[in-house]
Amino acid sequence: MGFLCSAIEMKTNQKNLYEIGAVCFKLGCFGFGGIAGMIGLIESEIVSQRRWISHEQYVDVVGAANIIPGPNSVEIIMHCSHHRGGKAGLIVGGIAYILPATLICLIWAFLYSKYGYLPSVQPFLAGIRPAVIAIIIAAVFRLSKPAFKNVHIIIISLLVLIGSLFGMNEVVLLFAAGIIGTLYLNRKQLYSWFPAPLLFINNFNSKLFFIFLKIGAILYGSGYVLFAYLDDALVQRNHWLTKHQLTDAIAVGQITPGPILSSATFAGYLINGTTGALLATIGIFLPSFFIAFFLHRFLNFINRHQLLRNFLDIVNGASVALIAAVAIHMFTGIAQEWQSDIILLLCLLAVFLVKRMNTALLIVFGSVGGYLLSLV
């Protein structure tokens, strides 16, 4: 009887791992729109449709990911995968999510090295943006209820939204919101910093690996922050890349689905071919796997202490406000383009009227629609 139960449990776990791999690979293939777009996609695919975790748990994960270093979308994906399939699920989910962007960037880097330029994909991206905005707006509506628990959180979140719309740094806004909340509730800020590992190693490949490992361990914020770190390490200090090459690497990360940290694959390839690409990719994403292993313990610790629980509640509301600000910024960027307005309207109708809307189809629809309307 015990053997039968073990066999059933093993089969169930294997089935969960297959599901985790397939879903995370799909998200890696269609993850456009930066962290806000990814939060919307993950919410739709994993929370609303498959219910791996509840909306309340998801809001906590998003808030916690915003106050720890590393790529937020990767950490959120791995945490959700951990809920579904344990430690094995965390690893499978993380690798499956990162893999598409890594392979695409590797191909981009090979073609770039051979031909020296990037092909234009603007018509397709023009259609993807309004589709992503629709997904983000839907996620904001669904996450608002668990995030905005009281009037204090709502007021602070509105201030964060206003600050973001006026161009203030999102990391500064998050921590400012948390500090204001803690002062109001007489509690202290919880914060940790990952010290830089050894960087000055004689072996070239080791040095390359540890540079990207450091960046992955201490990175906060958007692609602009990533650009600053890479510019300092690869252009200014070691002169491995030119400013133009680094700009192209960041551009590839932005037009490639999945996390923008996939720019590391492109940059690593330009520095030292396939070996450099693999070392850069592993280095920049490796800290996320360690952080994600402890993220659930971090949340459990917070939930056992009311003062920390209040702190996270405030950060959660601020995080949803930042997501809303991204949607507003993206909308103002396309508002005067009638093609984008049409795609956005159709996508909004789809996400709000169609139950269990497939977000991958929505992205494909936006991409094809953007190309076709660009011909008009």
Side-chain angles (χ1 to χ4, degrees):
M1 187 70 176
F3 174 78
L4 181 61
C5 291
S6 298
I8 293 173
E9 184 178 355
M10 185 180 298
K11 188 174 182 180
T12 302
N13 289 339
Q14 190 176 28
K15 182 180 178 182
N16 286 349
L17 291 179
Y18 282 132
E19 180 191 16
I20 291 167
V23 172
C24 293
F25 186 84
K26 174 184 175 183
L27 288 168
C29 291
F30 294 94
F32 293 95
I35 180 58
M38 276 312 309
I39 287 174
L41 285 167
I42 297 169
E43 186 277 331
S44 176
E45 291 287 333
I46 289 180
V47 184
S48 293
Q49 294 188 33
R50 293 175 175 82
R51 303 186 187 282
W52 291 1
I53 61 175
S54 68
H55 277 91
E56 289 77 11
Q57 290 173 312
Y58 186 66
V59 169
D60 281 348
V61 176
V62 171
N66 276 314
I67 60 174
I68 59 177
N72 295 0
S73 62
V74 180
E75 291 163 353
I76 293 169
I77 282 280
M78 289 194 287
H79 182 83
C80 295
S81 299
H82 184 269
H83 262 273
R84 185 63 173 169
K87 293 180 180 178
L90 183 150
I91 295 171
V92 169
I95 293 174
Y97 174 60
I98 295 167
L99 188 60
T102 300
L103 294 177
I104 293 170
C105 281
L106 200 57
I107 294 170
W108 279 110
F110 171 76
L111 296 175
Y112 181 83
S113 297
K114 189 171 183 179
Y115 299 107
Y117 67 93
L118 297 173
S120 175
V121 293
Q122 186 58 35
F124 294 96
L125 291 179
I128 289 176
R129 290 191 190 102
V132 170
I133 293 173
I135 294 170
I136 294 173
I137 291 173
V140 168
F141 272 92
R142 287 192 287 260
L143 296 177
S144 294
K145 185 177 179 181
F148 300 140
K149 293 182 177 181
N150 56 56
V151 67
H152 304 109
I153 294 177
I154 293 174
I155 292 172
I156 293 175
S157 299
L158 285 174
L159 293 174
V160 169
L161 174 63
I162 294 169
S164 181
L165 292 177
F166 277 93
M168 292 182 65
N169 182 276
E170 64 266 23
V171 177
V172 173
L173 287 170
L174 279 174
F175 279 106
I179 291 170
I180 291 170
T182 54
L183 289 175
Y184 180 80
L185 298 171
N186 291 320
R187 56 192 175 89
K188 296 181 179 180
Q189 176 187 14
L190 179 66
Y191 175 75
S192 62
W193 177 77
F194 192 100
L198 296 175
L199 293 181
F200 303 103
I201 298 177
N202 291 330
N203 182 278
F204 177 81
N205 283 330
S206 298
K207 185 176 182 180
L208 173 69
F209 172 77
F210 278 111
I211 283 176
F212 282 96
L213 182 70
K214 174 196 173 183
I215 293 172
I218 66 174
L219 179 70
Y220 278 100
S222 64
Y224 300 108
V225 180
L226 175 63
F227 182 89
Y229 281 136
L230 293 177
D231 179 65
D232 178 67
L234 307 182
V235 180
Q236 305 296 332
R237 293 180 182 272
N238 293 290
H239 309 289
W240 289 340
L241 296 178
T242 66
K243 184 83 74 171
H244 179 74
Q245 287 175 318
L246 179 59
T247 302
D248 286 342
I250 296 296
V252 166
Q254 290 176 327
I255 64 176
T256 301
I260 193 173
L261 265 69
S262 57
S263 299
T265 305
F266 189 95
Y269 186 92
L270 297 185
I271 294 170
N272 196 26
T274 304
T275 301
L278 293 176
L279 289 172
T281 303
I282 295 171
I284 204 164
F285 285 113
L286 188 61
S288 300
F289 284 83
F290 288 101
I291 292 170
F293 267 119
F294 296 101
L295 184 55
H296 70 287
R297 296 184 183 180
F298 177 60
L299 290 173
N300 289 336
F301 175 80
I302 287 176
N303 286 324
R304 290 196 301 269
H305 298 79
Q306 186 58 45
L307 296 181
L308 298 179
R309 178 65 258 178
N310 292 338
F311 173 82
L312 186 60
D313 285 343
I314 294 169
V315 172
N316 290 346
S319 299
V320 175
L322 288 177
I323 298 170
V326 171
I328 294 171
H329 279 302
M330 292 178 70
F331 175 74
T332 56
I334 67 167
Q336 296 182 6
E337 302 171 1
W338 65 269
Q339 298 96 330
S340 297
D341 292 340
I342 291 175
I343 295 173
L344 175 60
L345 178 60
L346 294 175
C347 290
L348 281 173
L349 290 173
V351 295
F352 282 108
L353 297 180
V354 178
K355 191 177 181 180
R356 300 174 69 88
M357 180 65 201
N358 189 313
T359 51
L361 290 179
L362 207 63
I363 296 291
V364 172
F365 168 77
S367 177
V368 174
Y371 174 74
L372 294 177
L373 290 175
S374 70
L375 301 177
V376 178

